[in-house]
Amino acid sequence: MEQNKILHNGVAMPVLGLGVFRSEEGAEVENAINFAVEAGYRHIDTAAIYGNERGVGKAINSCGVPRSELFVTTKLWNAEQGYESVFKAFDKSLARLQTDYIDLYLIHWPVKGKYKESWRALEQIYKSGRARAVGVSNFMVHHLADLLPEVEIVPMVNQVEFHPHLQQPELLKLCQKYQIAHEAWSPIMKGKADQVETLVEIGRNYNKSGNQVALRWELQKGSIVIPKSVKKERIIANAAIFDFNLTNEEMQQIDRLDLNQRIGPDPNNFSF
Ligand code: NDP
């Protein structure tokens, strides 16, 4: 398994990243990033709304790995969607992250009536070279079908909730068709993949946990994973997913666990 996915513009994106949603600004997020870098992670997933971009910036600038070897994602918050407002939001994220470019800038949620305008601004930011890649998040099939006919630049990534209980196979197929890299949030179901019997049983074949099996299944589906933890041991465990391979039969067993069940908000029905 390759450690990087090559996006449609040629940029290499590590297929494993550290999520930092609900990692506290300050020592907590900084320590988490230091543990992760030490464990081999080279990709951090934050967002303006997480309120921890300053800590992320501090950690990426002091962790000992050059900025050019790290891949940093941040996201445009819903309240800042539009056209002009996007440039301001982007500049604020850059300032908080203490960096002069972002590796991947995402529209966080498909805000009705706004996301097309926002996308035009992301295209401009991409062309200016201040984001090495741009993409969307929480876009379902119908959102992409609505956006794609009007874009100049096809989004490089779509980051969505994805795990054995929420698979949305049509969305995955559509992303593959347009070479939009598929990225999984809540990839270990907030730690609950360890309570899914089939995952735990499959894990016994490899001395892996249910969480590790979920992550491996996602990678073998072609997705990019960003498990979140602030705990050193868990950060290390969540990265130990490159030394085993699920068989076709095991992949299909996990495919059958789909319940179309969300942990997080529904992109068709959110009010924030
Ligand atoms: P995850 O599936 O990554 O689960 C994180 C939770 O599981 C935390 O409570 C963590 O606690 C716990 N955990 C982590 N590792 C283990 C382990 N090995 N064993 C048991 N428990 C564990 O959920 P997230 O929702 O955080 O998703 C991951 C990332 O995706 C986010 O951090 C964020 O970057 C991104 N995201 C994006 C969204 C979007 O709208 N685009 C929405 C939601 C998330 P602890 O820290 O205490 O270890």
PDB file of all heavy atoms in Angstrom, residues 139-157:
ATOM      1  N   PHE A 139     -19.911  16.684   0.870  1.00  0.00           N
ATOM      2  CA  PHE A 139     -20.688  16.778  -0.360  1.00  0.00           C
ATOM      3  C   PHE A 139     -21.210  15.386  -0.710  1.00  0.00           C
ATOM      4  O   PHE A 139     -20.436  14.431  -0.803  1.00  0.00           O
ATOM      5  CB  PHE A 139     -19.849  17.356  -1.509  1.00  0.00           C
ATOM      6  CG  PHE A 139     -19.810  18.870  -1.512  1.00  0.00           C
ATOM      7  CD1 PHE A 139     -19.518  19.588  -0.350  1.00  0.00           C
ATOM      8  CD2 PHE A 139     -20.065  19.588  -2.685  1.00  0.00           C
ATOM      9  CE1 PHE A 139     -19.493  20.977  -0.352  1.00  0.00           C
ATOM     10  CE2 PHE A 139     -20.046  20.979  -2.693  1.00  0.00           C
ATOM     11  CZ  PHE A 139     -19.761  21.684  -1.528  1.00  0.00           C
ATOM     12  N   MET A 140     -22.531  15.305  -0.896  1.00  0.00           N
ATOM     13  CA  MET A 140     -23.144  14.044  -1.306  1.00  0.00           C
ATOM     14  C   MET A 140     -23.214  14.012  -2.832  1.00  0.00           C
ATOM     15  O   MET A 140     -22.841  14.985  -3.501  1.00  0.00           O
ATOM     16  CB  MET A 140     -24.531  13.938  -0.676  1.00  0.00           C
ATOM     17  CG  MET A 140     -24.438  13.933   0.851  1.00  0.00           C
ATOM     18  SD  MET A 140     -26.029  13.898   1.656  1.00  0.00           S
ATOM     19  CE  MET A 140     -26.430  12.157   1.475  1.00  0.00           C
ATOM     20  N   VAL A 141     -23.728  12.917  -3.372  1.00  0.00           N
ATOM     21  CA  VAL A 141     -23.792  12.776  -4.836  1.00  0.00           C
ATOM     22  C   VAL A 141     -24.495  13.985  -5.458  1.00  0.00           C
ATOM     23  O   VAL A 141     -24.010  14.565  -6.432  1.00  0.00           O
ATOM     24  CB  VAL A 141     -24.508  11.458  -5.220  1.00  0.00           C
ATOM     25  CG1 VAL A 141     -24.847  11.431  -6.699  1.00  0.00           C
ATOM     26  CG2 VAL A 141     -23.639  10.252  -4.847  1.00  0.00           C
ATOM     27  N   HIS A 142     -25.621  14.391  -4.890  1.00  0.00           N
ATOM     28  CA  HIS A 142     -26.376  15.484  -5.532  1.00  0.00           C
ATOM     29  C   HIS A 142     -25.661  16.824  -5.424  1.00  0.00           C
ATOM     30  O   HIS A 142     -25.793  17.666  -6.322  1.00  0.00           O
ATOM     31  CB  HIS A 142     -27.816  15.546  -4.998  1.00  0.00           C
ATOM     32  CG  HIS A 142     -27.943  16.057  -3.606  1.00  0.00           C
ATOM     33  ND1 HIS A 142     -28.121  17.386  -3.319  1.00  0.00           N
ATOM     34  CD2 HIS A 142     -27.930  15.409  -2.414  1.00  0.00           C
ATOM     35  CE1 HIS A 142     -28.215  17.530  -1.995  1.00  0.00           C
ATOM     36  NE2 HIS A 142     -28.094  16.353  -1.432  1.00  0.00           N
ATOM     37  N   HIS A 143     -24.886  17.032  -4.362  1.00  0.00           N
ATOM     38  CA  HIS A 143     -24.115  18.277  -4.265  1.00  0.00           C
ATOM     39  C   HIS A 143     -23.043  18.313  -5.355  1.00  0.00           C
ATOM     40  O   HIS A 143     -22.836  19.348  -5.992  1.00  0.00           O
ATOM     41  CB  HIS A 143     -23.430  18.406  -2.897  1.00  0.00           C
ATOM     42  CG  HIS A 143     -24.373  18.501  -1.735  1.00  0.00           C
ATOM     43  ND1 HIS A 143     -24.420  17.548  -0.745  1.00  0.00           N
ATOM     44  CD2 HIS A 143     -25.300  19.432  -1.404  1.00  0.00           C
ATOM     45  CE1 HIS A 143     -25.333  17.902   0.157  1.00  0.00           C
ATOM     46  NE2 HIS A 143     -25.881  19.037  -0.226  1.00  0.00           N
ATOM     47  N   LEU A 144     -22.366  17.198  -5.551  1.00  0.00           N
ATOM     48  CA  LEU A 144     -21.313  17.151  -6.580  1.00  0.00           C
ATOM     49  C   LEU A 144     -21.949  17.302  -7.968  1.00  0.00           C
ATOM     50  O   LEU A 144     -21.427  18.018  -8.833  1.00  0.00           O
ATOM     51  CB  LEU A 144     -20.528  15.838  -6.493  1.00  0.00           C
ATOM     52  CG  LEU A 144     -19.578  15.713  -5.296  1.00  0.00           C
ATOM     53  CD1 LEU A 144     -18.973  14.316  -5.219  1.00  0.00           C
ATOM     54  CD2 LEU A 144     -18.469  16.770  -5.353  1.00  0.00           C
ATOM     55  N   ALA A 145     -23.085  16.640  -8.174  1.00  0.00           N
ATOM     56  CA  ALA A 145     -23.761  16.719  -9.475  1.00  0.00           C
ATOM     57  C   ALA A 145     -24.168  18.161  -9.769  1.00  0.00           C
ATOM     58  O   ALA A 145     -24.180  18.602 -10.919  1.00  0.00           O
ATOM     59  CB  ALA A 145     -24.982  15.805  -9.483  1.00  0.00           C
ATOM     60  N   ASP A 146     -24.481  18.920  -8.733  1.00  0.00           N
ATOM     61  CA  ASP A 146     -24.877  20.321  -8.873  1.00  0.00           C
ATOM     62  C   ASP A 146     -23.652  21.212  -9.135  1.00  0.00           C
ATOM     63  O   ASP A 146     -23.691  22.129  -9.950  1.00  0.00           O
ATOM     64  CB  ASP A 146     -25.574  20.745  -7.570  1.00  0.00           C
ATOM     65  CG  ASP A 146     -26.057  22.178  -7.602  1.00  0.00           C
ATOM     66  OD1 ASP A 146     -26.649  22.580  -8.623  1.00  0.00           O
ATOM     67  OD2 ASP A 146     -25.849  22.897  -6.597  1.00  0.00           O
ATOM     68  N   LEU A 147     -22.559  20.911  -8.451  1.00  0.00           N
ATOM     69  CA  LEU A 147     -21.365  21.776  -8.528  1.00  0.00           C
ATOM     70  C   LEU A 147     -20.520  21.509  -9.780  1.00  0.00           C
ATOM     71  O   LEU A 147     -20.083  22.442 -10.460  1.00  0.00           O
ATOM     72  CB  LEU A 147     -20.498  21.556  -7.269  1.00  0.00           C
ATOM     73  CG  LEU A 147     -19.171  22.324  -7.217  1.00  0.00           C
ATOM     74  CD1 LEU A 147     -19.419  23.829  -7.056  1.00  0.00           C
ATOM     75  CD2 LEU A 147     -18.281  21.825  -6.063  1.00  0.00           C
ATOM     76  N   LEU A 148     -20.288  20.236 -10.070  1.00  0.00           N
ATOM     77  CA  LEU A 148     -19.276  19.891 -11.083  1.00  0.00           C
ATOM     78  C   LEU A 148     -19.491  20.530 -12.464  1.00  0.00           C
ATOM     79  O   LEU A 148     -18.508  20.971 -13.081  1.00  0.00           O
ATOM     80  CB  LEU A 148     -19.132  18.366 -11.211  1.00  0.00           C
ATOM     81  CG  LEU A 148     -18.456  17.693 -10.000  1.00  0.00           C
ATOM     82  CD1 LEU A 148     -18.436  16.172 -10.162  1.00  0.00           C
ATOM     83  CD2 LEU A 148     -17.047  18.228  -9.768  1.00  0.00           C
ATOM     84  N   PRO A 149     -20.727  20.629 -12.974  1.00  0.00           N
ATOM     85  CA  PRO A 149     -20.883  21.226 -14.308  1.00  0.00           C
ATOM     86  C   PRO A 149     -20.410  22.676 -14.372  1.00  0.00           C
ATOM     87  O   PRO A 149     -20.174  23.204 -15.463  1.00  0.00           O
ATOM     88  CB  PRO A 149     -22.394  21.144 -14.569  1.00  0.00           C
ATOM     89  CG  PRO A 149     -22.905  20.115 -13.629  1.00  0.00           C
ATOM     90  CD  PRO A 149     -22.005  20.158 -12.430  1.00  0.00           C
ATOM     91  N   GLU A 150     -20.271  23.334 -13.226  1.00  0.00           N
ATOM     92  CA  GLU A 150     -19.934  24.769 -13.238  1.00  0.00           C
ATOM     93  C   GLU A 150     -18.504  25.071 -12.835  1.00  0.00           C
ATOM     94  O   GLU A 150     -18.110  26.234 -12.781  1.00  0.00           O
ATOM     95  CB  GLU A 150     -20.902  25.512 -12.316  1.00  0.00           C
ATOM     96  CG  GLU A 150     -22.323  25.383 -12.838  1.00  0.00           C
ATOM     97  CD  GLU A 150     -23.341  26.110 -11.987  1.00  0.00           C
ATOM     98  OE1 GLU A 150     -22.974  27.103 -11.327  1.00  0.00           O
ATOM     99  OE2 GLU A 150     -24.493  25.660 -11.979  1.00  0.00           O
ATOM    100  N   VAL A 151     -17.725  24.051 -12.533  1.00  0.00           N
ATOM    101  CA  VAL A 151     -16.382  24.353 -12.025  1.00  0.00           C
ATOM    102  C   VAL A 151     -15.361  24.518 -13.146  1.00  0.00           C
ATOM    103  O   VAL A 151     -15.525  23.991 -14.239  1.00  0.00           O
ATOM    104  CB  VAL A 151     -15.862  23.252 -11.060  1.00  0.00           C
ATOM    105  CG1 VAL A 151     -16.792  23.081  -9.878  1.00  0.00           C
ATOM    106  CG2 VAL A 151     -15.647  21.932 -11.794  1.00  0.00           C
ATOM    107  N   GLU A 152     -14.335  25.263 -12.818  1.00  0.00           N
ATOM    108  CA  GLU A 152     -13.182  25.351 -13.710  1.00  0.00           C
ATOM    109  C   GLU A 152     -12.180  24.279 -13.266  1.00  0.00           C
ATOM    110  O   GLU A 152     -11.525  23.653 -14.076  1.00  0.00           O
ATOM    111  CB  GLU A 152     -12.578  26.750 -13.551  1.00  0.00           C
ATOM    112  CG  GLU A 152     -11.574  27.119 -14.603  1.00  0.00           C
ATOM    113  CD  GLU A 152     -11.009  28.512 -14.331  1.00  0.00           C
ATOM    114  OE1 GLU A 152     -11.753  29.376 -13.783  1.00  0.00           O
ATOM    115  OE2 GLU A 152      -9.832  28.719 -14.634  1.00  0.00           O
ATOM    116  N   ILE A 153     -12.074  24.134 -11.951  1.00  0.00           N
ATOM    117  CA  ILE A 153     -11.164  23.142 -11.377  1.00  0.00           C
ATOM    118  C   ILE A 153     -12.008  22.123 -10.601  1.00  0.00           C
ATOM    119  O   ILE A 153     -12.798  22.499  -9.726  1.00  0.00           O
ATOM    120  CB  ILE A 153     -10.167  23.831 -10.412  1.00  0.00           C
ATOM    121  CG1 ILE A 153      -9.291  24.820 -11.213  1.00  0.00           C
ATOM    122  CG2 ILE A 153      -9.309  22.813  -9.673  1.00  0.00           C
ATOM    123  CD1 ILE A 153      -8.540  25.812 -10.353  1.00  0.00           C
ATOM    124  N   VAL A 154     -11.859  20.866 -10.939  1.00  0.00           N
ATOM    125  CA  VAL A 154     -12.578  19.809 -10.221  1.00  0.00           C
ATOM    126  C   VAL A 154     -11.953  19.690  -8.826  1.00  0.00           C
ATOM    127  O   VAL A 154     -10.716  19.681  -8.696  1.00  0.00           O
ATOM    128  CB  VAL A 154     -12.470  18.462 -10.984  1.00  0.00           C
ATOM    129  CG1 VAL A 154     -13.042  17.306 -10.172  1.00  0.00           C
ATOM    130  CG2 VAL A 154     -13.185  18.572 -12.333  1.00  0.00           C
ATOM    131  N   PRO A 155     -12.773  19.628  -7.768  1.00  0.00           N
ATOM    132  CA  PRO A 155     -12.197  19.473  -6.418  1.00  0.00           C
ATOM    133  C   PRO A 155     -11.241  18.273  -6.395  1.00  0.00           C
ATOM    134  O   PRO A 155     -11.498  17.260  -7.028  1.00  0.00           O
ATOM    135  CB  PRO A 155     -13.419  19.207  -5.528  1.00  0.00           C
ATOM    136  CG  PRO A 155     -14.588  19.755  -6.290  1.00  0.00           C
ATOM    137  CD  PRO A 155     -14.239  19.646  -7.735  1.00  0.00           C
ATOM    138  N   MET A 156     -10.160  18.421  -5.659  1.00  0.00           N
ATOM    139  CA  MET A 156      -9.182  17.324  -5.596  1.00  0.00           C
ATOM    140  C   MET A 156      -9.577  16.294  -4.545  1.00  0.00           C
ATOM    141  O   MET A 156      -9.134  15.147  -4.622  1.00  0.00           O
ATOM    142  CB  MET A 156      -7.795  17.885  -5.267  1.00  0.00           C
ATOM    143  CG  MET A 156      -7.159  18.547  -6.482  1.00  0.00           C
ATOM    144  SD  MET A 156      -6.914  20.286  -6.188  1.00  0.00           S
ATOM    145  CE  MET A 156      -6.849  20.949  -7.831  1.00  0.00           C
ATOM    146  N   VAL A 157     -10.404  16.720  -3.575  1.00  0.00           N
ATOM    147  CA  VAL A 157     -10.739  15.839  -2.444  1.00  0.00           C
ATOM    148  C   VAL A 157     -12.193  16.078  -2.029  1.00  0.00           C
ATOM    149  O   VAL A 157     -12.690  17.200  -2.127  1.00  0.00           O
ATOM    150  CB  VAL A 157      -9.811  16.167  -1.225  1.00  0.00           C
ATOM    151  CG1 VAL A 157     -10.218  15.383   0.021  1.00  0.00           C
ATOM    152  CG2 VAL A 157      -8.336  15.893  -1.561  1.00  0.00           C
TER     153      VAL A 157
END
